[in-house]
Amino acid sequence: METGESRLLADQEHDVIDLGPSPFPDATPPADGAPDFVTLRASVPSTPDGRPTWALASRPVHEGILDAALEEQDGKAISSLLADPGFLIYGSAAAITAALRTPEIAAPAGLRPIWERAAPQLSSIEHDDVTRAALLQAAALGTSPALSEYLRPPAKQHVWSATWAQHGLPVSAQCQIPGNDAPLVTADPLGRLSTHNSGTGQRNGTLSSPTGIRPAGIAAADRGALLVLDEDGPLHVLASDDEDTAATVLGNIADHHGQTLLVAGNLTPTALGSCPQSPLAAVGDSSGAVHVWSLTAYQPAPRSCRLHSVPVSAVACTQDASEGMTFVFSSGFDGTIRLWETSQEPMDSPIDQRPAVVTALAAAITAAGPVLAAAWNDGELHLWHILSGKAEVLPLLYRCSALALSASGQLMVGGPDGMYAVQLRLDRLSN
């Protein structure tokens, strides 16, 4: 097919279609060039006191107004947009990212690191305004109190809204000590252990750990007795009193898996998870099996089941004492998540399977029933209400290597970029 008057096909057999000088007489001719900043800004509805109502602006305005200001090199216009929290929710993520990566452009204090945290999610996926508000509010916590408070009301409409954040505090493993208002135990990539107030995230203590251990998982019997999975596979016991009953029980668990590894040679522990409400732990290994242990009562051997045909990447467990049920969740490096209620045979099919890898699992018995959270290496967070089977797919603010979920529905996310906590709307999950 040839258009125009180049006559490249003049010597070939062809048909000519003459559209005439005006093929669509009723069509509105295209505008000459893109609208300028003043025109776009004038089209944005405003409140009686003159503040722009970005929620009512058109999509072309959302997408084009910052580009127009950048094209015109209008510094005042650019600054006014970047200082408007409403525009940060609705404006073009790509344009905002480009503007903030230009050092010559003035930006409100703290906005650059805030946007840097949220930009991977905001730029890669088109989220709705409520999700963008939730991500930005989480990123702003601890950096810009004014921005985080402004974003809190719209963020609370989301399935999760952030309650605290410790950005820049890397976490490789974490667990919540069983009990109400119990502290959170975290490990950093260098193996240093700390305790944090689970309600505020503030560090309130440190724990000693042997040199050379790089925790990839933690389970707690109590404040003074921890079972730690080293990134190379061995389980270690960290106890304030080696003669304590809990320390003895944890020592038995570590010895059992150490002896199994020596005998079998290919049953290296690869994942460790615990229950936030009872002293219970699950160990996943390189054969795809999961082993459930009490952390306070002696067991000669665990309750075990092979749930995967590949190594286990993450594991979690939770116990509903009133119903006499123990739920175990595990993920394999084949992208599957499986459920096993220990009084029965495991489910035949995985509850989820994706072309990605689960990096962390957490589960708890909440007011809405048992809930599972799974973090994937592609930035997705999946939440399941187990009894109804309802699932929500949500974004993670940044990379996740550890999760902890409380009975109240507070989910604590830790990774190489920091840690933060979000409050889940359990009613949205169960209804």
Side-chain angles (χ1 to χ4, degrees):
M1 183 175 67
E2 179 184 352
T3 62
E5 299 179 356
S6 60
R7 302 184 62 79
L8 294 174
L9 300 179
D11 59 346
Q12 305 291 325
E13 182 178 349
H14 63 275
D15 296 319
V16 176
I17 302 175
D18 187 356
L19 298 178
S22 181
F24 304 104
D26 298 327
T28 302
D32 295 331
D36 60 15
F37 172 80
V38 172
T39 302
L40 292 171
R41 179 61 183 84
S43 70
V44 180
S46 298
T47 61
D49 58 356
R51 289 177 295 147
T53 308
W54 294 105
L56 301 180
S58 66
R59 183 180 180 88
V61 172
H62 291 160
E63 295 295 321
I65 191 168
L66 181 54
D67 284 335
L70 291 168
E71 181 70 23
E72 298 166 23
Q73 297 184 357
D74 187 337
K76 184 177 179 181
I78 296 169
S79 297
S80 69
L81 292 174
L82 296 179
D84 188 332
F87 180 73
L88 298 179
I89 296 175
Y90 291 95
S92 165
I96 296 172
T97 301
L100 292 174
R101 286 184 175 175
T102 304
E104 295 78 17
I105 292 177
L111 181 57
R112 280 189 166 88
I114 291 170
W115 191 265
E116 193 72 21
R117 294 175 194 130
Q121 274 287 359
L122 299 179
S123 301
S124 62
I125 301 173
E126 187 170 344
H127 296 294
D128 60 31
D129 56 301
V130 171
T131 303
R132 283 185 62 160
L135 286 166
L136 284 169
Q137 190 256 340
L141 276 172
T143 303
S144 174
L147 181 58
S148 63
E149 283 305 308
Y150 179 93
L151 295 170
R152 191 179 298 278
K156 281 191 172 181
Q157 300 175 40
H158 196 249
V159 178
W160 63 255
S161 58
T163 54
W164 55 258
Q166 296 288 336
H167 303 301
L169 188 66
V171 172
S172 60
Q174 67 181 12
C175 81
Q176 190 162 15
I177 294 173
N180 296 327
D181 300 322
L184 182 71
V185 178
T186 68
D188 70 13
L190 297 178
R192 295 172 296 194
L193 297 172
S194 304
T195 58
H196 299 258
N197 184 306
S198 57
T200 65
Q202 292 295 319
R203 180 183 293 169
N204 54 20
T206 59
L207 301 173
S208 61
S209 60
T211 304
I213 293 180
R214 300 291 183 267
I218 307 173
D222 54 43
R223 294 171 185 260
L226 304 178
L227 185 65
V228 175
L229 171 66
D230 185 75
E231 63 181 6
D232 293 327
L235 290 167
H236 300 269
V237 178
L238 304 181
S240 56
D241 182 359
D242 292 339
E243 303 301 321
D244 183 70
T245 300
T248 303
V249 171
L250 298 186
N252 173 64
I253 297 172
D255 290 344
H256 173 89
H257 286 283
Q259 290 294 327
T260 302
L261 177 60
L262 288 174
V263 173
N266 63 342
L267 299 181
T268 305
T270 57
L272 174 64
S274 60
C275 174
Q277 291 138 313
S278 59
L280 193 71
V283 178
D285 67 29
S286 54
S287 75
V290 175
H291 314 275
V292 182
W293 294 91
S294 167
L295 296 176
T296 55
Y298 173 79
Q299 294 174 240
R303 182 174 295 179
S304 302
C305 184
R306 191 178 185 203
L307 301 177
H308 305 270
S309 58
V310 296
V312 176
S313 67
V315 66
C317 57
T318 188
Q319 191 171 61
D320 188 343
S322 63
E323 298 292 335
M325 295 189 294
T326 299
F327 297 96
V328 178
F329 307 92
S330 62
S331 59
F333 279 97
D334 57 356
T336 60
I337 298 178
R338 292 190 173 272
L339 165 62
W340 172 34
E341 199 287 298
T342 57
S343 66
Q344 306 175 33
E345 291 296 312
M347 294 178 62
D348 293 332
S349 302
I351 62 174
D352 200 3
Q353 183 167 13
R354 301 181 61 235
V357 175
V358 173
T359 57
L361 292 172
I365 305 298
T366 70
V371 171
L372 171 68
W376 299 79
N377 67 346
D378 60 357
E380 287 190 2
L381 173 68
H382 291 199
L383 300 175
W384 282 271
H385 182 254
I386 300 304
L387 299 183
S388 68
K390 183 179 178 182
E392 290 273 2
V393 179
L394 305 168
L396 287 164
L397 178 60
Y398 39 57
R399 297 172 293 171
C400 174
S401 54
L403 291 172
L405 179 62
S406 71
S408 64
Q410 179 173 259
L411 180 66
M412 289 152 282
V413 183
D417 305 303
M419 57 190 294
Y420 65 100
V422 299
Q423 182 60 47
L424 304 180
R425 290 188 58 182
L426 297 173
D427 57 325
R428 289 271 296 272
L429 282 177
S430 58
N431 294 331

